[in-house]
Amino acid sequence: MADAAASCAEHPIATRPHSLIAIAAAILLAGCEQDTQAQTSQSRSLQDASFDFFVLSLSWSPSYCEIEGADANRQQCNSGRRHGFVVHGLWPQFERGWPEFCDSGEPERVPNELVSKTIDIMPSAGLIGHQWRKHGSCSGMSQADYFVVVRDAWNQVTIPDRFRNTRSDMTIDPDDVEAAFLEANPGLPSDGFATSCSGRYVSEVRICLDKALDFRSCEEVDRRACSIDDAAMPAPAR
């Protein structure tokens, strides 16, 4: 926020004397002030929101596609969609339990403009809409602000190299998945996330973040970790 304000203050257009440029400068600085106010308002609404922390759920997309088969969302799972870890959702969470399907005053439908800005990390319009209705509506934020925070949360996490550009199926101990995330993300506590399984497949990595999007411990999430020794992680479809 401070950097944004500084860049506005230092913009060269604000120092030129000509009247047209002065008008342009006034418009620029007003826009910067609005951006700063919006960021402040977003931060304040997060801190005041009636939940305790976030869970960023990262889905291993090939597992979802394999499990759902013909019922999988084709926008996400068509041949050539080489998705690995993607955002399943950003979930407001209590220390015990979580809220769902809240009355937010926002539309249920996510507009196409927001979908197009988000679909690179949440790879289907259906997923984006469902996650807003079930979880985003409980964040205390507008749709626009919520999906900004979803991307910020995604950017906080480094996907381990071994899970990027995967070309072959893997059988893996879920503890090794967690070890890879710990190594790739300094500051992530060992009790601050969990690998989840669906049947024999690694399905998700769920990472706990406070309202400032810093890593934090979360006992309830941690104890729901996958308990099988060998789990499947299919390669993305070619």
Side-chain angles (χ1 to χ4, degrees), residues 56 58 85 152-164 177-186 188 193 205 207 209 215:
L56 175 65
L58 301 178
F85 277 108
D152 288 345
W154 164 259
N155 288 335
Q156 285 289 91
V157 177
T158 299
I159 304 300
D161 287 341
R162 70 180 300 183
F163 304 126
R164 296 177 182 271
V177 177
E178 296 193 4
F181 270 84
L182 284 171
E183 182 178 1
N185 293 275
L188 176 61
F193 73 117
V205 173
I207 299 173
L209 303 168
F215 298 130

Side-chain angles (χ1 to χ4, degrees), residues 20-182:
L20 289 178
I21 295 179
I23 292 170
I27 294 171
L28 172 69
L29 294 175
C32 291
E33 182 177 347
Q34 288 173 355
D35 289 346
T36 301
Q37 289 172 347
Q39 291 167 355
T40 301
S41 175
Q42 178 179 306
S43 176
R44 186 181 301 116
S45 68
L46 264 178
Q47 295 305 319
D48 294 342
S50 57
F51 60 91
D52 297 316
F53 62 98
F54 286 114
V55 171
L56 175 65
S57 176
L58 301 178
S59 171
W60 182 248
S61 184
S63 289
Y64 160 77
C65 298
E66 187 77 18
I67 293 165
E68 295 298 323
D71 293 329
N73 183 285
R74 303 328 302 170
Q75 191 175 16
Q76 179 171 347
C77 297
N78 275 347
S79 179
R81 304 280 185 175
R82 292 190 52 79
H83 299 298
F85 277 108
V86 297
V87 176
H88 179 182
L90 183 68
W91 305 338
Q93 195 90 0
F94 301 133
E95 296 297 345
R96 295 287 182 270
W98 55 87
E100 292 182 353
F101 297 107
C102 300
D103 183 5
S104 70
E106 287 279 295
E108 288 196 356
R109 182 182 177 279
V110 178
N112 292 338
E113 180 183 4
L114 274 180
V115 169
S116 65
K117 290 179 178 178
T118 310
I119 205 161
D120 60 315
I121 59 173
M122 298 181 75
S124 83
L127 173 62
I128 291 168
H130 177 71
Q131 289 300 307
W132 163 256
R133 290 186 291 275
K134 186 173 182 179
H135 299 289
S137 63
C138 301
S139 68
M141 291 180 280
S142 68
Q143 287 182 349
D145 285 348
Y146 173 72
F147 286 106
V148 167
V149 174
V150 168
R151 184 171 296 278
D152 288 345
W154 164 259
N155 288 335
Q156 285 289 91
V157 177
T158 299
I159 304 300
D161 287 341
R162 70 180 300 183
F163 304 126
R164 296 177 182 271
N165 302 315
T166 304
R167 296 188 176 276
S168 58
D169 296 345
M170 291 185 284
T171 299
I172 192 168
D173 187 327
D175 287 345
D176 291 338
V177 177
E178 296 193 4
F181 270 84
L182 284 171

